[in-house]
Protein backbone atom coordinates (compact mmCIF):
# COMPACT_ATOMS: atom_id res chain seq x y z
CA UNK A 1 0.00 0.00 0.00
CA UNK A 2 0.93 3.65 -0.28
CA UNK A 3 1.20 5.41 3.08
CA UNK A 4 0.46 9.12 3.50
CA UNK A 5 4.17 9.84 4.00
CA UNK A 6 5.08 7.89 0.88
CA UNK A 7 2.45 9.73 -1.16
CA UNK A 8 3.83 13.02 0.12
CA UNK A 9 7.40 12.04 -0.81
CA UNK A 10 6.50 10.88 -4.32
CA UNK A 11 4.43 14.01 -4.88
CA UNK A 12 7.40 16.14 -3.77
CA UNK A 13 9.44 14.74 -6.68
CA UNK A 14 7.49 17.03 -9.00
CA UNK A 15 9.90 19.72 -7.74
CA UNK A 16 13.44 19.84 -9.09
CA UNK A 17 15.10 20.57 -5.73
CA UNK A 18 13.63 17.40 -4.24
CA UNK A 19 14.71 15.29 -7.22
CA UNK A 20 18.24 16.63 -6.90
CA UNK A 21 18.35 16.10 -3.15
CA UNK A 22 17.04 12.52 -3.41
CA UNK A 23 18.81 11.69 -6.69
CA UNK A 24 15.65 10.00 -7.97
CA UNK A 25 12.85 10.80 -10.40
CA UNK A 26 9.29 9.64 -10.94
CA UNK A 27 7.85 7.63 -13.83
CA UNK A 28 4.08 7.90 -14.11
CA UNK A 29 1.46 5.86 -15.92
CA UNK A 30 1.24 2.21 -16.90
CA UNK A 31 2.98 2.64 -20.27
CA UNK A 32 5.75 4.76 -18.77
CA UNK A 33 6.44 2.21 -16.05
CA UNK A 34 6.38 -0.60 -18.63
CA UNK A 35 9.31 1.09 -20.41
CA UNK A 36 11.47 0.28 -17.38
CA UNK A 37 11.18 -3.45 -18.10
CA UNK A 38 14.16 -3.66 -20.45
CA UNK A 39 16.19 -0.81 -19.01
CA UNK A 40 19.07 -0.83 -16.55
CA UNK A 41 17.59 1.90 -14.36
CA UNK A 42 17.51 1.06 -10.67
CA UNK A 43 13.90 1.05 -9.49
CA UNK A 44 13.59 2.17 -5.88
CA UNK A 45 9.84 1.78 -5.52
CA UNK A 46 7.02 0.79 -7.83
CA UNK A 47 3.28 0.78 -7.23
CA UNK A 48 0.60 -0.63 -9.52
CA UNK A 49 -3.14 -1.02 -9.30
CA UNK A 50 -4.75 -4.41 -9.81
CA UNK A 51 -6.38 -3.15 -13.01
CA UNK A 52 -2.96 -2.15 -14.40
CA UNK A 53 -1.60 -5.63 -13.74
CA UNK A 54 -4.57 -7.18 -15.51
CA UNK A 55 -4.03 -4.96 -18.56
CA UNK A 56 -0.25 -5.46 -18.55
CA UNK A 57 0.77 -8.71 -16.79
CA UNK A 58 4.41 -8.01 -17.75
CA UNK A 59 4.46 -5.43 -14.95
CA UNK A 60 4.70 -8.33 -12.50
CA UNK A 61 8.32 -8.79 -13.61
CA UNK A 62 9.12 -5.49 -11.86
CA UNK A 63 7.84 -6.83 -8.51
CA UNK A 64 5.40 -3.98 -7.87
CA UNK A 65 3.57 -3.25 -4.66
CA UNK A 66 -0.19 -3.34 -5.13
CA UNK A 67 -1.83 0.00 -4.35
CA UNK A 68 -5.34 1.32 -4.70
CA UNK A 69 -6.14 3.66 -7.58
CA UNK A 70 -6.94 6.64 -5.36
CA UNK A 71 -3.54 6.49 -3.64
CA UNK A 72 -1.70 6.29 -6.97
CA UNK A 73 -3.72 9.25 -8.25
CA UNK A 74 -2.81 11.29 -5.15
CA UNK A 75 0.90 10.52 -5.55
CA UNK A 76 0.98 11.31 -9.26
CA UNK A 77 1.41 14.67 -10.93
CA UNK A 78 -0.81 13.52 -13.80
CA UNK A 79 -4.51 14.22 -13.68
CA UNK A 80 -5.63 10.79 -14.81
CA UNK A 81 -3.00 8.34 -13.56
CA UNK A 82 -4.61 5.64 -11.43
CA UNK A 83 -2.58 2.71 -12.70
CA UNK A 84 1.14 2.85 -11.94
CA UNK A 85 3.94 5.00 -10.56
CA UNK A 86 7.63 4.34 -9.91
CA UNK A 87 10.49 6.06 -8.12
CA UNK A 88 13.74 5.50 -10.01
CA UNK A 89 17.40 6.38 -9.44
CA UNK A 90 18.80 9.06 -11.73
CA UNK A 91 21.72 8.55 -14.06
CA UNK A 92 23.24 10.47 -16.95
CA UNK A 93 25.54 9.43 -19.75
CA UNK A 94 29.13 10.57 -19.31
CA UNK A 95 30.94 9.46 -22.45
CA UNK A 96 30.61 10.97 -25.93
CA UNK A 97 31.32 8.76 -28.93
CA UNK A 98 32.70 11.28 -31.39
CA UNK A 99 32.57 8.76 -34.25
CA UNK A 100 28.76 8.73 -34.17
CA UNK A 101 26.00 11.20 -35.02
CA UNK A 102 25.50 13.58 -32.09
CA UNK A 103 22.52 15.86 -31.51
CA UNK A 104 23.44 18.86 -29.35
CA UNK A 105 20.47 20.66 -27.80
CA UNK A 106 21.40 24.23 -26.95
CA UNK A 107 19.07 25.89 -24.45
CA UNK A 108 15.89 23.89 -25.08
CA UNK A 109 13.76 25.08 -22.17
CA UNK A 110 10.33 23.59 -22.88
CA UNK A 111 9.83 20.14 -21.28
CA UNK A 112 7.42 19.00 -23.99
CA UNK A 113 9.89 19.88 -26.73
CA UNK A 114 12.79 18.09 -25.04
CA UNK A 115 10.71 14.99 -24.41
CA UNK A 116 9.45 14.92 -27.99
CA UNK A 117 13.00 15.31 -29.32
CA UNK A 118 14.22 12.39 -27.17
CA UNK A 119 11.35 10.29 -28.54
CA UNK A 120 12.20 11.38 -32.10
CA UNK A 121 15.88 10.47 -31.96
CA UNK A 122 14.94 7.11 -30.48
CA UNK A 123 12.63 6.52 -33.46
CA UNK A 124 15.22 7.51 -36.06
CA UNK A 125 18.15 5.84 -34.33
CA UNK A 126 20.26 8.95 -33.77
CA UNK A 127 23.22 7.75 -31.75
CA UNK A 128 23.63 10.30 -28.98
CA UNK A 129 22.14 13.44 -27.48
CA UNK A 130 23.96 16.14 -25.53
CA UNK A 131 22.12 18.86 -23.61
CA UNK A 132 23.60 22.20 -22.65
CA UNK A 133 23.29 23.17 -19.01
CA UNK A 134 20.69 25.75 -20.07
CA UNK A 135 18.30 23.01 -21.19
CA UNK A 136 15.36 21.97 -19.07
CA UNK A 137 16.28 19.14 -16.70
CA UNK A 138 16.03 15.70 -18.31
CA UNK A 139 14.29 14.22 -15.25
CA UNK A 140 11.54 16.84 -15.19
CA UNK A 141 8.30 14.76 -15.03
CA UNK A 142 6.91 16.52 -18.11
CA UNK A 143 10.04 15.60 -20.07
CA UNK A 144 9.84 11.96 -18.95
CA UNK A 145 6.15 11.79 -19.84
CA UNK A 146 6.70 13.39 -23.27
CA UNK A 147 9.37 10.85 -24.22
CA UNK A 148 6.69 8.11 -24.17
CA UNK A 149 9.22 5.66 -22.73
CA UNK A 150 12.24 6.68 -24.82
CA UNK A 151 13.91 8.18 -21.72
CA UNK A 152 15.00 4.64 -20.83
CA UNK A 153 17.01 4.29 -24.06
CA UNK A 154 18.30 7.79 -24.88
CA UNK A 155 19.96 9.34 -21.84
CA UNK A 156 21.75 12.64 -22.54
CA UNK A 157 25.19 13.86 -21.67
CA UNK A 158 24.98 17.30 -20.03
CA UNK A 159 27.77 19.75 -20.89
CA UNK A 160 28.35 23.44 -21.36
CA UNK A 161 28.95 24.56 -24.93
CA UNK A 162 32.45 25.65 -23.87
CA UNK A 163 33.44 22.24 -22.50
CA UNK A 164 31.90 20.44 -25.48
CA UNK A 165 33.91 22.51 -27.95
CA UNK A 166 37.05 22.12 -25.87
CA UNK A 167 36.73 18.32 -25.89
CA UNK A 168 35.66 17.99 -29.53
CA UNK A 169 38.36 16.24 -31.58
CA UNK A 170 39.70 18.01 -34.64
CA UNK A 171 37.86 17.04 -37.80
CA UNK A 172 34.45 16.41 -36.23
CA UNK A 173 31.96 18.35 -38.36
CA UNK A 174 29.45 20.75 -36.80
CA UNK A 175 26.15 21.73 -38.40
CA UNK A 176 24.28 24.72 -36.97
CA UNK A 177 20.58 25.21 -37.67
CA UNK A 178 19.60 28.77 -38.56
CA UNK A 179 17.26 30.77 -40.80
CA UNK A 180 19.86 31.54 -43.45
CA UNK A 181 22.06 28.57 -44.24
CA UNK A 182 22.73 25.85 -46.79
CA UNK A 183 20.19 23.26 -47.92
CA UNK A 184 19.61 20.08 -45.96
CA UNK A 185 21.66 18.14 -48.50
CA UNK A 186 24.64 18.97 -46.27
CA UNK A 187 23.45 16.45 -43.68
CA UNK A 188 22.18 13.74 -46.06
CA UNK A 189 23.26 10.27 -44.90
CA UNK A 190 25.35 11.88 -42.15
CA UNK A 191 27.13 9.05 -40.29
CA UNK A 192 29.06 11.22 -37.84
CA UNK A 193 29.28 14.82 -36.74
CA UNK A 194 27.30 17.20 -34.55
CA UNK A 195 23.88 18.67 -35.35
CA UNK A 196 23.13 21.68 -33.13
CA UNK A 197 19.54 22.71 -32.41
CA UNK A 198 18.89 25.97 -30.56
CA UNK A 199 15.86 27.38 -28.79
CA UNK A 200 13.10 28.96 -30.85
CA UNK A 201 13.51 32.31 -29.12
CA UNK A 202 17.31 32.63 -28.96
CA UNK A 203 18.73 30.20 -31.51
CA UNK A 204 22.15 28.67 -30.88
CA UNK A 205 24.82 30.19 -28.65
CA UNK A 206 27.30 32.62 -30.20
CA UNK A 207 30.07 30.35 -28.92
CA UNK A 208 29.51 28.03 -31.89
CA UNK A 209 30.77 30.81 -34.16
CA UNK A 210 34.24 30.35 -32.66
CA UNK A 211 34.70 26.96 -34.33
CA UNK A 212 34.48 25.73 -37.91
CA UNK A 213 30.89 24.91 -38.82
CA UNK A 214 28.30 24.68 -41.58
CA UNK A 215 24.98 26.49 -41.28
CA UNK A 216 21.89 24.69 -42.56
CA UNK A 217 18.28 25.74 -43.04
CA UNK A 218 14.95 24.01 -43.51
CA UNK A 219 13.57 25.97 -46.44
CA UNK A 220 10.03 27.30 -46.09
CA UNK A 221 7.42 27.72 -48.79
CA UNK A 222 7.80 31.00 -50.73
CA UNK A 223 4.26 31.84 -49.61
CA UNK A 224 4.82 31.03 -45.94
CA UNK A 225 4.33 33.81 -43.40
CA UNK A 226 5.50 31.73 -40.41
CA UNK A 227 8.64 33.13 -38.80
CA UNK A 228 10.00 29.81 -37.52
CA UNK A 229 9.42 26.10 -36.93
CA UNK A 230 8.87 24.45 -33.58
CA UNK A 231 12.25 23.02 -32.53
CA UNK A 232 10.89 19.50 -32.05
CA UNK A 233 9.32 19.57 -35.52
CA UNK A 234 12.53 20.91 -37.05
CA UNK A 235 14.55 18.19 -35.31
CA UNK A 236 12.22 15.52 -36.72
CA UNK A 237 12.72 16.82 -40.27
CA UNK A 238 16.49 16.88 -39.87
CA UNK A 239 16.63 13.40 -38.32
CA UNK A 240 14.61 12.07 -41.26
CA UNK A 241 16.99 13.75 -43.70
CA UNK A 242 20.04 12.36 -41.92
CA UNK A 243 18.74 8.80 -41.97
CA UNK A 244 17.04 8.78 -45.38
CA UNK A 245 19.57 10.85 -47.32
Amino acid sequence: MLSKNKIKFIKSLQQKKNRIQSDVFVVEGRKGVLSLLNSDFEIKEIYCSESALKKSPDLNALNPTIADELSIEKASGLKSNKEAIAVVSQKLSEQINWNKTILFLDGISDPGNLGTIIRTIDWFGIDQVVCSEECVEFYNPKVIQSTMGSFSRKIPVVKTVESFLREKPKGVRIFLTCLNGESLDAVSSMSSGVLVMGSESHGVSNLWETTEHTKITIASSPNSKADSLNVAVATSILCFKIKQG
Side-chain angles (χ1 to χ4, degrees):
M1 62 175 289
L2 266 168
S3 66
K4 289 184 178 180
N5 285 339
K6 190 61 68 176
I7 290 173
K8 183 178 179 181
F9 169 70
I10 296 174
K11 193 77 172 181
S12 75
L13 297 177
Q14 298 294 322
Q15 298 182 37
K16 182 178 180 179
K17 65 178 182 179
N18 294 324
R19 293 192 297 273
I20 292 174
Q21 183 177 2
S22 304
D23 199 30
V24 295
F25 69 105
V26 63
V27 179
E28 303 168 273
R30 177 171 52 88
K31 291 183 178 180
V33 172
L34 271 171
S35 68
L36 294 168
L37 269 173
N38 298 314
S39 78
D40 57 359
F41 275 100
E42 180 187 0
I43 300 173
K44 294 291 189 180
E45 304 168 32
I46 180 170
Y47 301 92
C48 295
S49 66
E50 291 183 353
S51 63
L53 292 173
K54 288 179 181 178
K55 291 178 183 176
S56 301
D58 287 348
L59 285 170
N60 285 296
L62 297 173
N63 298 315
T65 298
I66 304 297
D68 63 89
E69 293 184 353
L70 181 59
S71 294
I72 292 174
E73 187 176 33
K74 286 181 178 179
S76 179
L78 300 177
K79 292 182 179 179
S80 58
N81 177 30
K82 299 180 180 180
E83 295 186 313
I85 194 164
V87 177
V88 185
S89 293
Q90 295 187 21
K91 65 176 182 177
L92 289 173
S93 295
E94 297 180 355
Q95 301 296 323
I96 296 177
N97 187 338
W98 296 98
N99 295 317
K100 299 289 187 177
T101 302
I102 300 166
L103 177 67
F104 192 105
L105 302 177
D106 188 358
I108 307 302
S109 59
D110 182 81
N113 279 339
L114 179 56
T116 300
I117 290 171
I118 297 294
R119 182 182 180 185
T120 298
I121 66 170
D122 188 22
W123 177 266
F124 284 108
I126 300 299
D127 300 297
Q128 192 162 38
V129 59
V130 180
C131 291
S132 72
E133 291 187 346
E134 292 74 28
C135 283
V136 62
E137 177 210 10
F138 177 65
Y139 289 116
N140 180 302
K142 292 181 180 178
V143 174
I144 297 299
Q145 189 68 21
S146 297
T147 69
M148 297 299 288
S150 292
F151 73 88
S152 64
R153 294 177 292 275
K154 294 294 180 180
I155 304 169
V157 175
V158 177
K159 283 190 177 293
T160 63
V161 175
E162 295 96 325
S163 63
F164 183 84
L165 290 175
R166 187 167 57 247
E167 295 172 16
K168 182 187 75 69
K170 186 176 180 180
V172 173
R173 298 178 301 167
I174 291 179
F175 299 91
L176 304 182
T177 52
C178 65
L179 293 176
N180 298 294
E182 298 182 18
S183 75
L184 298 190
D185 290 338
V187 296
S188 293
S189 302
M190 173 181 167
S191 60
S192 64
V194 183
L195 174 64
V196 184
M197 304 297 298
S199 70
E200 294 166 41
S201 55
H202 302 294
V204 300
S205 166
N206 290 332
L207 290 169
W208 296 103
E209 297 288 347
T210 64
T211 190
E212 185 177 350
H213 61 271
T214 300
K215 292 182 178 179
I216 57 173
T217 297
I218 299 172
S220 64
S221 164
N223 299 321
S224 174
K225 295 183 180 180
D227 58 2
S228 66
L229 275 177
N230 171 271
V231 66
V233 173
T235 302
S236 297
I237 294 170
L238 287 163
C239 287
F240 177 81
K241 186 66 176 178
I242 288 171
K243 290 301 179 179
Q244 299 300 318

